[in-house]
């Protein structure tokens, strides 16, 4: 953790070391070094290290001081440690110390943590959680941004509450707190009548007062009046643009553009065709990437390789993961360059065009060789507030997921959603009634979806019918405690009994995934930390995920429309994001509350509606 007093003492020492009046701890000499400020290479350079910082950088042999340890890597190229401008570490589903073991050999030495996920589970402990691994010796620098969406909307509850005072205290608690995580509830920003309006502007005010950065989330915002309003509100960035045209409109109206890999090839091509010469207002953002996907593709290094393959000069691509995000997040005293005062982090490349990483150094020490992490992972005894986060008030039975019909009815009209439902209104279907209960309709691709409140301890469940998702095979269900952004438990199933069985399995493991077939649990994956992460290696977690996928392949899953891409069909892991309540969503299902007893609410207007009628 960085505080002002210790920072001053450290820099007093660095000043003396730079002048040669105090000894250094180590010198790292490299064949070439990239200066990210000027985008130029210098050959035969030395990096003089004192503690975990750089005291001096210049031509090999130019430093006037003394040092007993000199490491020579004259066949390698040095660039700064790679940074993440916007990432949810929770989406790797690894605790921070194990995240470090996964991403640091892939070049990532610092991360701006977008703490929507953990903050929604244990909001008051946001700073404590993200500082713990570093305090135990992890070399990954985490710059937390407490979640603006705690709760995500005025119609959700549980897991804590963050407003002006909480944000003020986080920013005062450490120089590593970079600002406010992505403001997603755009209707609450512009509409004074929205229930979250005052809370959100309080957090923005506290961030402005500390000269922090207010990150934005402008999904679906493409018209110029709204882009202008978004920027005028002080929301500094967007990572939700999908096309070059949208990027251009947002860049030219003052937003810092954070480019994600899924649209990178087309956007880079389009921006190059437009003649963009200055890329300083662009950074690459991983956002969400699981440990399994990182093992397959890479971390920040994957983003850089993809940018180079898309036609961007390697030096510009490197700027987009070093100095550009550091400038945007106002972190240049610590990261973004191989320069005095910064953390002694360097990525040593053996091949620039293919972005092949030979070694990674962090805090003045070598931490990886190839893909191998060569330093110990600290053992952390996470406290109860991080481990025991599932409080449903007990276990569940099939009856808890039943939807009752009105007496004497043979059919009922049902409100129905489908994954990623952005329409202004919900769908409606006529569904059969048997034994007084409204039934699923496999012929119409209709199954049941539920949200279980895991914070209040009230055994509270909202349930409704969903289209084009979930198991078609009888007596099957899938449940998870990963449910962006509130992270209650969601469950989709072909029978009420199977749904109860899956939810009960999650309660027992403390969170994660549970898959039920023939009313029997056939696979679980534990996320025992906050119901979002697991304290183990990426390889061990991936092994459990592969078992889950293998069992999932034995079930027939619904999907629609039939022209959907392959990733849309089959095992519905995407449902972890289908519970989002931020713009551009309209109707959503949330945990029951006094405001929305059945959980169906329009987050843009506050309107509620019956599930069946």
């Amino acid at each position: 953790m960085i505080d002002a007093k210790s920072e001053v003492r450290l820099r007093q020492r660095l000043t003396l070391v730079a002048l040669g009046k105090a000894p250094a701890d180590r010198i790292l000499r490299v064949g070439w070094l990239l200066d990210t400020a000027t985008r130029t290479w210098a050959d035969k350079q030395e990096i003089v290290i004192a503690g975990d910082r750089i005291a001096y950088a210049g031509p090999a042999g130019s430093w006037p001081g003394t040092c007993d340890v000199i490491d020579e890597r004259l066949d390698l190229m040095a660039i700064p440690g790679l940074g993440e401008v916007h990432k949810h570490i929770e989406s790797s589903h690894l605790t921070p110390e194990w995240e470090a073991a996964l991403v640091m050999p892939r070049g990532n030495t610092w991360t701006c943590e977008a703490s929507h996920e953990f903050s929604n589970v244990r909001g008051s402990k946001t700073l404590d959680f993200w500082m713990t691994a570093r305090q135990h010796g992890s070399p990954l620098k985490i710059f937390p941004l407490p979640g603006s969406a705690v709760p995500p909307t005025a119609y959700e509850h549980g897991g804590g509450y963050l407003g002006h005072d909480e944000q003020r205290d986080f920013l005062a608690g450490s120089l590593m707190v970079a600002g406010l995580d992505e403001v997603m509830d755009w209707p609450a920003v512009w509409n004074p009548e929205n229930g979250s309006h005052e809370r959100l502007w309080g957090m923005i005010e506290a961030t402005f007062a500390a000269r922090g950065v207010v990150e934005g989330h402008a999904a679906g915002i493409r018209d110029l009046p709204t882009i202008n309003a978004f920027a005028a509100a002080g929301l500094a960035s967007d990572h939700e643009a999908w096309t070059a045209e949208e990027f251009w409109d947002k860049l030219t109206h003052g937003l810092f553009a954070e480019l994600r890999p899924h649209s990178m090839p087309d956007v880079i091509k389009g921006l190059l065709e437009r003649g963009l010469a200055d890329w300083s207002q662009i950074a690459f953002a991983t956002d969400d990437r699981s440990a399994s996907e990182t093992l397959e593709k890479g971390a920040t290094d994957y983003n850089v390789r993809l940018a180079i393959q898309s036609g961007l000069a390697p030096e510009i691509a490197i700027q987009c993961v070093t100095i550009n995000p550091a400038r945007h997040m106002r972190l240049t005293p610590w990261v973004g360059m191989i320069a005095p005062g910064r953390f002694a982090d360097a990525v040593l490349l053996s091949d620039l065009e293919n972005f092949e990483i030979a070694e990674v150094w962090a805090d003045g020490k070598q931490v990886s060789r190839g893909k191998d992490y060569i330093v110990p992972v600290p053992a952390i005894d996470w406290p109860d507030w991080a481990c025991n986060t599932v409080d449903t008030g007990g276990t569940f039975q099939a009856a808890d997921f039943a939807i009752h019909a009105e007496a004497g009815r043979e059919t009922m009209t049902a409100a129905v959603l489908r994954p990623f439902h952005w329409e202004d209104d919900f769908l409606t279907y006529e569904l059969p009634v048997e034994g007084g209960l409204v039934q699923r309709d496999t012929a119409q691709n209709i199954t049941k979806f539920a949200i279980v409140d895991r914070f209040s301890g009230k055994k509270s469940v909202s349930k409704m019918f969903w289209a084009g998702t979930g198991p078609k095979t009888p007596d099957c269900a899938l449940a998870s405690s990963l449910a962006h952004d509130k992270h209650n438990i969601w469950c989709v199933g072909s029978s009420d009994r199977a749904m109860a069985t899956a939810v009960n399995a999650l309660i027992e493991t403390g969170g994660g995934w549970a898959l039920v077939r023939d009313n029997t649990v056939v696979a679980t994956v534990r996320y025992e930390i906050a119901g979002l992460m697991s304290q183990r290696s990426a390889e061990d977690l991936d092994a459990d995920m592969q078992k889950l996928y293998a069992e999932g392949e034995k079930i027939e899953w619904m999907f629609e429309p039939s022209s959907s891409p392959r990733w849309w069909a089959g095992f519905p892991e995407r449902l972890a994001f289908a519970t989002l309540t931020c713009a551009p969503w309209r109707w959503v299902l949330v945990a029951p509350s006094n405001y929305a007893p059945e959980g169906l609410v329009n987050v843009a207007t506050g309107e509620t509606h019956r599930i069946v009628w």
Side-chain angles (χ1 to χ4, degrees):
M1 186 178 293
I2 304 173
D3 64 83
K5 286 186 177 180
S6 61
E7 187 72 8
V8 166
R9 288 193 296 269
L10 185 152
R11 288 178 181 270
Q12 287 171 338
R13 181 194 173 197
L14 292 177
T15 303
L16 296 176
V17 174
L19 292 170
K21 298 180 182 299
D25 295 315
R26 182 183 298 268
I27 296 175
L28 174 62
R29 287 181 176 156
V30 297
W32 301 267
L33 187 149
L34 178 65
D35 172 45
T36 50
T38 61
R39 211 160 68 222
T40 57
W41 291 92
D43 62 355
K44 296 184 176 58
Q45 298 289 297
E46 64 186 8
I47 305 164
V48 179
I49 299 166
D52 62 1
R53 303 290 184 92
I54 298 170
Y56 179 97
S62 65
W63 179 59
T66 59
C67 180
D68 293 334
V69 180
I70 299 176
D71 293 284
E72 294 197 339
R73 302 290 191 273
L74 299 179
D75 58 335
L76 299 177
M77 297 166 276
I79 64 172
L82 311 184
E84 289 280 5
V85 70
H86 174 79
K87 185 179 183 182
H88 305 277
I89 289 175
E90 303 96 319
S91 290
S92 75
H93 314 306
L94 301 172
T95 48
E97 71 276 23
W98 286 102
E99 163 84 357
L102 173 63
V103 303
M104 294 195 77
R106 294 162 173 85
N108 180 196
T109 67
W110 60 277
T111 296
C112 290
E113 159 57 34
S115 188
H116 269 299
E117 321 322 329
F118 184 85
S119 289
N120 262 303
V121 175
R122 285 287 186 264
S124 64
K125 294 295 185 180
T126 296
L127 191 55
D128 302 83
F129 183 78
W130 295 115
M131 296 291 100
T132 294
R134 185 76 176 151
Q135 291 165 350
H136 281 74
S138 174
L140 178 66
K141 271 65 72 176
I142 298 176
F143 297 96
L145 286 84
S148 66
V150 184
T153 65
Y155 319 110
E156 298 166 88
H157 60 88
Y161 174 93
L162 299 186
H164 172 277
D165 293 354
E166 291 80 7
Q167 179 69 358
R168 176 200 61 202
D169 293 345
F170 287 138
L171 286 157
S174 173
L175 294 179
M176 295 192 78
V177 179
L180 180 62
D181 187 19
E182 53 181 321
V183 176
M184 301 192 298
D185 192 356
W186 174 242
V189 173
W190 72 262
N191 185 359
E193 297 180 0
N194 188 288
S196 291
H197 184 78
E198 184 175 349
R199 182 189 68 82
L200 268 179
W201 278 102
M203 296 193 82
I204 292 170
E205 177 186 341
T207 307
F208 283 165
R211 294 189 61 80
V213 180
V214 180
E215 286 285 272
H217 173 113
I221 294 176
R222 298 183 178 92
D223 63 286
L224 287 183
T226 310
I227 291 173
N228 276 271
F230 191 90
L235 311 184
S237 67
D238 179 43
H239 58 271
E240 290 288 338
W242 285 70
T243 66
E245 181 181 8
E246 184 180 354
F247 258 86
W248 190 266
D249 285 343
K250 290 175 176 177
L251 276 172
T252 56
H253 289 84
L255 296 182
F256 186 84
E258 299 168 355
L259 176 55
R260 296 184 296 184
H262 59 69
S263 53
M264 185 178 284
D266 290 340
V267 170
I268 287 178
K269 180 177 182 290
L271 294 179
L272 289 173
E273 288 175 349
R274 286 174 178 261
L276 182 65
D278 184 356
W279 289 71
S280 61
Q281 279 291 98
I282 296 174
F284 303 150
T286 295
D287 200 356
D288 298 282
R289 188 175 297 158
S290 70
S292 296
E293 188 179 2
T294 301
L295 287 170
E296 176 188 351
K297 294 181 177 179
T300 319
D301 60 322
Y302 169 75
N303 304 343
V304 175
R305 277 193 296 274
L306 183 59
I308 295 171
Q309 292 165 8
S310 301
L312 199 61
E315 292 80 5
I316 296 177
I318 292 166
Q319 284 182 314
C320 289
V321 292
T322 55
I323 195 166
N324 292 4
R327 283 172 173 162
H328 171 65
M329 287 295 189
R330 302 171 189 171
L331 298 174
T332 51
W334 299 287
V335 292
M337 300 177 68
I338 296 178
R342 280 69 173 180
F343 284 105
D345 296 355
V347 175
L348 304 187
L349 302 174
S350 58
D351 184 324
L352 178 62
E353 290 295 330
N354 294 306
F355 207 73
E356 293 183 0
I357 298 174
E359 299 177 9
V360 175
W361 288 60
D363 295 339
K365 302 179 181 65
Q366 185 179 349
V367 299
S368 75
R369 184 180 300 109
K371 291 294 191 298
D372 295 328
Y373 190 63
I374 61 174
V375 296
V377 177
I380 300 175
D381 184 12
W382 289 100
D384 284 349
W385 53 257
C387 301
N388 298 321
T389 64
V390 176
D391 180 14
T392 60
T395 55
F396 293 85
Q397 298 177 341
D400 295 311
F401 298 90
I403 295 178
H404 292 269
E406 295 174 1
R409 295 281 294 271
E410 293 184 357
T411 66
M412 293 283 287
T413 304
V416 176
L417 296 178
R418 66 162 63 92
F420 308 100
H421 182 93
W422 296 313
E423 288 81 0
D424 289 334
D425 207 353
F426 48 76
L427 308 170
T428 58
Y429 285 77
E430 286 296 314
L431 296 179
V433 174
E434 293 180 8
L437 302 179
V438 187
Q439 302 296 310
R440 301 160 176 81
D441 190 346
T442 303
Q444 297 188 81
N445 265 2
I446 303 294
T447 188
K448 193 177 286 183
F449 186 89
I451 299 288
V452 177
D453 180 348
R454 72 155 161 134
F455 299 109
S456 69
K458 296 180 179 179
K459 287 195 69 176
S460 182
V461 183
S462 59
K463 58 264 185 179
M464 67 179 296
F465 295 98
W466 275 35
T469 186
K472 183 175 289 187
T473 305
D475 296 321
C476 294
L478 178 68
S480 179
S481 57
L482 178 69
H484 295 277
D485 275 307
K486 189 63 250 168
H487 298 293
N488 282 300
I489 292 170
W490 62 264
C491 185
V492 63
S494 54
S495 76
D496 295 348
R497 180 183 170 191
M499 293 176 76
T501 301
V503 170
N504 290 338
L506 278 188
I507 295 169
E508 183 177 348
T509 61
W513 293 90
L515 180 64
V516 167
R517 188 176 68 250
D518 296 329
N519 292 319
T520 301
V521 178
V522 294
T524 59
V525 180
R526 59 180 171 85
Y527 294 162
E528 73 279 8
I529 305 299
L532 302 171
M533 294 162 277
S534 191
Q535 191 178 14
R536 50 182 163 155
S537 72
E539 291 79 7
D540 287 348
L541 175 58
D542 178 61
D544 276 358
M545 290 300 299
Q546 297 308 320
K547 292 176 185 176
L548 178 71
Y549 297 144
E551 290 296 334
E553 290 178 358
K554 301 174 184 178
I555 294 171
E556 183 181 1
W557 300 93
M558 301 176 183
F559 69 99
E560 66 171 32
S562 59
S563 59
S564 299
R566 288 187 63 189
W567 62 266
W568 190 269
F571 187 79
E573 190 173 5
R574 67 187 187 282
L575 289 181
F577 290 91
T579 55
L580 281 165
T581 54
C582 60
W585 263 252
R586 309 291 197 276
W587 287 96
V588 298
L589 186 69
V590 299
S593 66
N594 292 334
Y595 185 89
E598 294 189 18
L600 183 60
V601 61
N602 186 320
V603 291
T605 66
E607 182 184 358
T608 63
H609 204 281
R610 297 284 307 278
I611 298 300
V612 294
W613 63 95

